Amino acid sequence: MNVSFWRYGYSLRATFAVFAVSALGGVFSPVLADSYHLAPQTRIRLTIVQWMPTKGVYEKWDALGGEFLVSQARTVSLPIIGTLPVGDLDSAGLAAEIAKRLKTKIGLVETPEASVEVLDQPPIYVVGDVNKPGEYKFHPGLTVLQSLAMSGGEFRPLDGAQGSADKTGYVGQLQEIGNSILRSRIRIARLQAEMSGAKEMRFEPEAQDDRGPASAIFQQEKVIHAARANDMARQSKSLEELRTLLTSEIAIIEKKIVSVDEDIESIRKELTNVKGMVERGIALPTRQSDLERTLRSYHANRLDLVTAIMRARQNIAETTRNLDGLYDKQRTEVASELQSEQANLDQQKLKRDTTQKLLLEALSGDTGSDVSAGAMTLAFTVTRQSGGAAREILASDSTVLQPGDVVKVHRRVSLASDDATGLPAGQETSSEQAGQ
């Protein structure tokens, strides 16, 4: 009776364990479905639970679980366990190894339940004669042919409608570049007129210039030239008026100084007479003191006038510097803009020449495109990391890829006796199986 009850209780607990782990994240189904080795840069989620007999429930160990990344050395750094070599384990094998090491490390009586879910696998890379070479997301069962489709298919330069669209694009680019060159030439003419101080700008359009756009751009630049010239004239006129005003102020102050000097001389003579009268007792000493104070006051006024003249001359010098700096600043800015615009014009001309060459190549390549397309076929190779080294595997369009593979697509001359890989049937498959 007791043995039967114990067996019934164990079976009930095992059944409950399955439901508990499923409820804690549903992590077992991905593990069963994923039999790939855990390649470097694989991102995984570790979930650990343990049956607690005293509580009758499964508890999740959040402190030990979480998301981890397989390093380039094929190891995983985990709490408590430390660095764990992954080797050639898949997710199920890694989960079992983690559970076993936890039991040994912590000293548990029973092995905890561990599960590993693959969140993100390393991408694959497609290079070579494809329309969109680059990095693409990996999914189980991905083949070389599917990777070719993901990268936009075979690269066909100027073939059919695509070639026609490219040629139309080149023509449009040439038109846009021509307008940019015309605009730069007219702007350079305006800057040269500003540099030389000319009141009006001149521009002689070339024979190939479109008269309509050239006239419109010329009128716009002419308005800019007039506006900048007017602004320069207003600023320089304001500074010159200020300098004239300060010069007039100095002339007036100098006249005041002449008048003060006459007053000083008159008071000095009167003071001399008063001193003689005071010595003879005819005049009071207070009269002498008043004249002396008045004389000192006139001297102080004269010093103030001299200081005002010095200040006015200093302002004149500063105004002159500002006026000269205004012209220097204007010439510097115009010279910098002229240099930049000249460089832009040279760049646009180089771009025009390059686009013209591309258009000529596109037009000349139409005649032999059909022949070359019929004489070429695609071949595939897969570069795969194995044992810490990269090796190249001949592949066909049905070869199944692994995470981190680099698919190289290249054209080669097709032979009647060759297949897509250049190998007899079955040889590529055996080579691929050896690689896996």
Side-chain angles (χ1 to χ4, degrees), residues 198-214:
K199 295 183 179 180
E200 294 184 0
M201 59 175 290
R202 297 182 180 275
F203 175 74
E204 297 296 335
E206 297 180 359
Q208 68 270 21
D209 292 339
D210 192 340
R211 299 290 176 170

Side-chain angles (χ1 to χ4, degrees), residues 101-323:
R101 294 204 178 197
L102 277 177
K103 178 182 178 182
T104 304
K105 190 79 173 180
I106 303 178
L108 300 175
V109 178
E110 296 185 359
T111 305
E113 301 286 346
S115 61
V116 173
E117 176 187 3
V118 176
L119 298 178
D120 194 13
Q121 292 178 320
I124 63 163
Y125 304 87
V126 185
V127 298
D129 295 326
V130 293
N131 279 314
K132 297 179 181 179
E135 174 184 309
Y136 294 94
K137 186 175 180 62
F138 174 84
H139 61 81
L142 182 66
T143 64
V144 170
L145 184 61
Q146 291 172 342
S147 70
L148 178 62
M150 293 165 62
S151 58
E154 177 186 357
F155 177 67
R156 298 178 180 273
L158 303 178
D159 185 21
Q162 180 63 36
S164 177
D166 289 342
K167 286 179 284 187
T168 303
Y170 290 144
V171 173
Q173 290 178 21
L174 285 174
Q175 180 66 32
E176 182 179 355
I177 294 172
N179 291 336
S180 298
I181 291 176
L182 178 61
R183 189 175 295 106
S184 294
R185 288 173 49 222
I186 297 177
R187 186 173 293 119
I188 288 174
R190 186 255 298 172
L191 293 172
Q192 289 175 343
E194 291 183 5
M195 180 67 72
S196 62
K199 295 183 179 180
E200 294 184 0
M201 59 175 290
R202 297 182 180 275
F203 175 74
E204 297 296 335
E206 297 180 359
Q208 68 270 21
D209 292 339
D210 192 340
R211 299 290 176 170
S215 177
I217 297 172
F218 179 75
Q219 292 299 325
Q220 295 172 358
E221 293 296 330
K222 191 175 180 180
V223 171
I224 296 175
H225 177 264
R228 295 181 65 166
N230 292 336
D231 182 64
M232 185 69 182
R234 282 194 299 269
Q235 294 186 52
S236 60
K237 182 180 179 181
S238 175
L239 292 173
E240 289 174 353
E241 289 178 351
L242 177 60
R243 186 167 59 181
T244 302
L245 180 63
L246 291 171
T247 303
S248 301
E249 182 180 355
I250 291 175
I252 294 173
I253 294 175
E254 288 176 345
K255 291 180 180 180
K256 288 183 178 180
I257 291 177
V258 172
S259 177
V260 170
D261 287 341
E262 293 176 353
D263 293 338
I264 290 174
E265 183 64 24
S266 176
I267 294 175
R268 184 179 291 113
K269 290 179 180 180
E270 184 178 356
L271 180 60
T272 302
N273 296 330
V274 171
K275 284 182 178 180
M277 295 172 66
V278 170
E279 290 176 356
R280 293 193 299 270
I282 300 174
L284 295 176
T286 55
R287 175 60 177 166
Q288 180 180 347
S289 300
D290 292 339
L291 290 174
E292 289 176 349
R293 282 196 297 271
T294 303
L295 183 61
R296 288 194 296 270
S297 175
Y298 274 102
H299 279 296
N301 291 338
R302 190 181 190 283
L303 289 176
D304 291 340
L305 293 175
V306 172
T307 303
I309 289 177
M310 294 174 61
R311 189 179 297 110
R313 287 174 178 171
Q314 182 180 1
N315 291 335
I316 289 176
E318 183 179 358
T319 303
T320 303
R321 287 194 303 271
N322 292 337
L323 185 59

Side-chain angles (χ1 to χ4, degrees), residues 21-42:
V21 175
S22 300
L24 288 172
V27 294
F28 281 133
S29 55
V31 174
L32 296 176
D34 184 7
S35 60
Y36 286 96
H37 299 317
L38 298 177
Q41 304 306 312
T42 300

Side-chain angles (χ1 to χ4, degrees), residues 357-382:
K357 290 180 180 179
L358 291 174
L359 180 58
L360 290 176
E361 291 176 0
L363 293 174
S364 62
D366 287 344
T367 56
S369 59
D370 295 337
V371 177
S372 61
M376 304 296 290
T377 186
L378 293 181
F380 308 98
T381 56
V382 175

